[in-house]
């Protein structure tokens, strides 16, 4: 059986907590920027190792932004 602390770590926040974080201007702007960066990589083409690195960086940025929505503590 999981302790209360462990249970909090493995459960997604329910209700308005994650939504209030998602609607903050800094989260929306960073997420839009990372998605546009990814889109531009595909629009201009991935032709070199540098392009792959940029795509990985933009994807990591997007994943980090999404991960902030599922954390258990509030900002």
């Amino acid at each position: 059986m999981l302790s209360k602390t462990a249970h909090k770590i493995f459960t997604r926040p329910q209700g308005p907590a994650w939504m209030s974080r998602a609607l903050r201007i800094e989260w929306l702007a960073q997420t839009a920027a990372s998605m546009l960066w990814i889109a531009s990589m595909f629009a201009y083409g991935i032709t070199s190792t540098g392009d792959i690195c940029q795509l990985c960086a933009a994807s990591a940025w997007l994943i980090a932004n999404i991960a902030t929505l599922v954390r258990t503590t509030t900002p």
Side-chain angles (χ1 to χ4, degrees), residues 38-49:
I38 291 169
S40 74
M41 293 306 302
F42 287 111
Y44 287 105
I46 299 173
T47 59
S48 70
T49 304

Side-chain angles (χ1 to χ4, degrees), residues 1 3 10-11 18-19 23 25 31 37 39-40 51-52 56-57 60 62 68-72:
M1 182 170 174
S3 67
F10 295 111
T11 57
W18 69 271
M19 183 61 83
L23 294 177
I25 188 68
T31 302
W37 188 7
S40 74
D51 294 335
I52 294 170
C56 289
L62 180 61
T68 62
L69 296 181
V70 295
R71 67 180 179 195
T72 58

